[in-house]
Structures are given as structure tokens and as C-alpha cells.
């Protein structure tokens, strides 16, 4: 989604009522972030909304991007938030062969997750279609992609082919390299 360099459009302050709603939505969507929510979104701080191309909204605090949202999709954390709080998100893993494709902006395909180096969640922690997932690369410590799943993990295991995630934010993309002034 953010393959090219992007520049922010209009920047506006978020009303405190909207900011409280965003805090609530973040805690609902990512319950493991609840203990850290005051670190991420302090109550008395001023949140900024930046309009990006393709109807994407970026929420930033003190010029640090926190979450982005495409139209009415769920709030998706910026990779810097994922790196700061790595254990608070649902995670899947890709094999070594898929790393270069993911980092060049290609869609995430099921064979990268179902092969020997890939990793899907345990049966008791299955992800559904539409859930937000963080993608880790085999042999790497940091997450390389975050986005919304287009098929659930049960379907990925059974079909072993198809598009798993097509719109996401990956290391080195336009959103990662964007500077907020």
C-alpha cells in the first residue's frame, strides 16, 4: 500500500472525545496493549491526524506515527509501535524465501506461511479473516510487516495457497520513511 514515497496532506488536531474513542478502540482491538496504553496515548497529550493518499488516516503523537487506518478498516499499528511492544500483537511467521518479496511490497501469499520455515498460531489462538497480524521473518528478531488478513489461519492451513495479506505496512516502505513535521 505504501510502496512509493508519500507525503502527508492536511494535519489536524484530534478532539479529546475522538482521542478517548481511539484509546478505547485500541484497547478493544489489542487487549494486550491495555497495560501500555498510557505510554502510547497519554490522556493529556494532543493527538494529530494526518491525511495520506488513498484515503489513509495516520494518527501521530509528537510527530511519532502510532496507528494508521484505511477508510473504515481497523486501526493498524505503525511498525515502530510493534517494535516497541512486540508481545502485544498476534504474530505469524514467514520463511526465508518470502522475506525479499514482502520487503519489496509484494502481497503475502500462503506458501510463505505454510512451508517449513513459516509459522502459524496454535489451534487455540487462531486468527480470523479481517484480524490484524504482525508478520515476523524466519531468523529475524523484528517484525517486517503488519496488516489485515484476507483469510483466516484455518483456511491458510487447509488451502495452502492464495493471498493472505495484500495491504500492509512493511519495513522500508513510504510510511516507514515518512517524516512528520
Amino acid at each position: 500500500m505504501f510502496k512509493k514515497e508519500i507525503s502527508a496532506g492536511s494535519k489536524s488536531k484530534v478532539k479529546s472525545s475522538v482521542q478517548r474513542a481511539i484509546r478505547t478502540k485500541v484497547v478493544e482491538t489489542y487487549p494486550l496493549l491495555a497495560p501500555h496504553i498510557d505510554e502510547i496515548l497519554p490522556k493529556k497529550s494532543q493527538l494529530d491526524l494526518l491525511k495520506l493518499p488513498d484515503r489513509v488516516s495516520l494518527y501521530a503523537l509528537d510527530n511519532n506515527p502510532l496507528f494508521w487506518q484505511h477508510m473504515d478498516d481497523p486501526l493498524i499499528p505503525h511498525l515502530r509501535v510493534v517494535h516497541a511492544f512486540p508481545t502485544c500483537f498476534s504474530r505469524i511467521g514467514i520463511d526465508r524465501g518470502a522475506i525479499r518479496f514482502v520487503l519489496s511490497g509484494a502481497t503475502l501469499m500462503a506458501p510463505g506461511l505454510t512451508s517449513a520455515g513459516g509459522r502459524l498460531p496454535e489451534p487455540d489462538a487462531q486468527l480470523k479473516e479481517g484480524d490484524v497480524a504482525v508478520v515476523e521473518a524466519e531468523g529475524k528478531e523484528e517484525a517486517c510487516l503488519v496488516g489485515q488478513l484476507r483469510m483466516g489461519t484455518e483456511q491458510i492451513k487447509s488451502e495452502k495457497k492464495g493471498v493472505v495479506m495484500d495491504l500492509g505496512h512493511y519495513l522500508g516502505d513510504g510510511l516507514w520513511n515518512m517524516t512528520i513535521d
Side-chain angles (χ1 to χ4, degrees), residues 145-165:
L145 173 68
V146 61
Q148 193 174 9
L149 294 175
R150 285 204 29 207
M151 62 171 66
T153 51
E154 281 296 322
Q155 186 180 359
I156 295 168
K157 287 178 184 176
S158 63
E159 291 182 13
K160 292 186 169 58
K161 63 180 179 179
V163 175
V164 174
M165 188 184 296

Side-chain angles (χ1 to χ4, degrees), residues 29-166:
T29 310
Y30 310 105
L32 295 175
L33 272 181
H36 309 288
I37 194 67
D38 286 329
E39 256 182 273
I40 298 169
L41 287 169
K43 288 183 179 179
K44 297 293 182 185
S45 61
Q46 180 59 55
L47 195 64
D48 294 323
L49 169 66
L50 288 89
K51 296 290 185 181
L52 302 179
D54 299 326
R55 297 188 201 150
V56 175
S57 301
L58 175 68
Y59 296 98
L61 179 69
D62 300 328
N63 294 334
N64 295 320
L66 297 177
F67 296 93
W68 59 277
Q69 183 176 29
H70 181 257
M71 295 171 57
D72 291 331
D73 291 346
L75 286 169
I76 300 176
H78 192 279
L79 275 172
R80 287 188 170 91
V81 173
V82 173
H83 292 164
F85 305 99
T87 59
C88 297
F89 302 98
S90 304
R91 307 176 96 65
I92 56 178
I94 56 172
D95 64 1
R96 291 184 185 277
I99 295 172
R100 67 185 178 115
F101 297 109
V102 166
L103 293 180
S104 66
T107 58
L108 179 61
M109 305 298 282
L113 299 167
T114 57
S115 64
R119 184 175 42 81
L120 289 169
E122 298 297 322
D124 60 335
Q126 294 298 321
L127 300 172
K128 302 180 298 295
E129 179 180 350
D131 285 352
V132 175
V134 172
V135 179
E136 294 177 324
E138 178 187 11
K140 307 295 180 197
E141 294 179 15
E142 302 288 341
C144 62
L145 173 68
V146 61
Q148 193 174 9
L149 294 175
R150 285 204 29 207
M151 62 171 66
T153 51
E154 281 296 322
Q155 186 180 359
I156 295 168
K157 287 178 184 176
S158 63
E159 291 182 13
K160 292 186 169 58
K161 63 180 179 179
V163 175
V164 174
M165 188 184 296
D166 57 356

